[in-house]
Amino acid sequence: DTLLMFTSKGRAYSTKIYEVPQAGRTAKGKAFVNLIPLQDGERVVALQPVREFSDGAFVVMATKKGVIKKTSLQLFSNIRTSGIIALSIQDDDDLVGVRITEGAADLLLGTRNGWAIRFRAENARPMGRTARGVRGIRLRDKDDEVVGMAVVSRDMPATLLTVCEKGYGKRTPTSDYPTKNRGGKGVIT
């Protein structure tokens, strides 16, 4: 398998799974800066294992300012060792989540102030690697930001686990989140 690594500044790196050092449960491990050439102020925010780079699969990325971007997974099949630009991102924005989708699925974005929006993944058209993306959620306050993203299946009933900064958590059926259009303000979660 291939391990895709996405950084906070919108860069993507890849490595084969067998190149990641294997260690015991109590071992310290190896720093990511020894595996990939991270730039100053950059940190790894998402890891996605990929068995095969199929035609119908997409990489969906979300930033803290509410921008989402959907790109074909095949565009990430040949990544240089120095990495590639997965998403053009503004200086005051950071990548917060990356998911791989196939088929009919919905995306759910959650914000720091407790708002969430659910919309169809088809509402975001596929874009090239260096594109910026489109608005996924319209943030209500200046201090609000996207903190998480989930892929929700339309076919199977599921629950969403929401955890707050203070440690409180709850499970909510995904059917409680209405499917809206991309770019709305969302509902209280």
Side-chain angles (χ1 to χ4, degrees), residues 6 10 59-63 67-71 76 86-87 95-99 107 109 128-129 134 149:
F6 295 87
V59 176
V60 180
M61 297 166 265
T63 71
V67 175
I68 63 157
K69 182 182 162 201
K70 184 169 83 170
T71 304
F76 295 93
L87 168 73
L95 188 66
V96 294
V98 177
R99 296 287 184 272
L107 300 174
L109 298 176
R129 262 197 10 248
V134 294
M149 175 176 64

Side-chain angles (χ1 to χ4, degrees), residues 9 17 81-82 97 101-102:
K9 296 302 175 192
I17 295 288
T81 56
S82 61
T101 64
E102 284 188 64

Side-chain angles (χ1 to χ4, degrees), residues 58 60 68 70 101-107 118-126 151-152 154 179 182:
F58 294 96
V60 180
I68 63 157
K70 184 169 83 170
T101 64
E102 284 188 64
D106 290 347
L107 300 174
R118 178 180 178 177
F119 56 90
R120 296 189 183 279
E122 297 88 42
N123 287 353
R125 64 178 177 79
V151 176
V152 179
R154 290 185 211 146
T179 303
R182 173 186 61 76

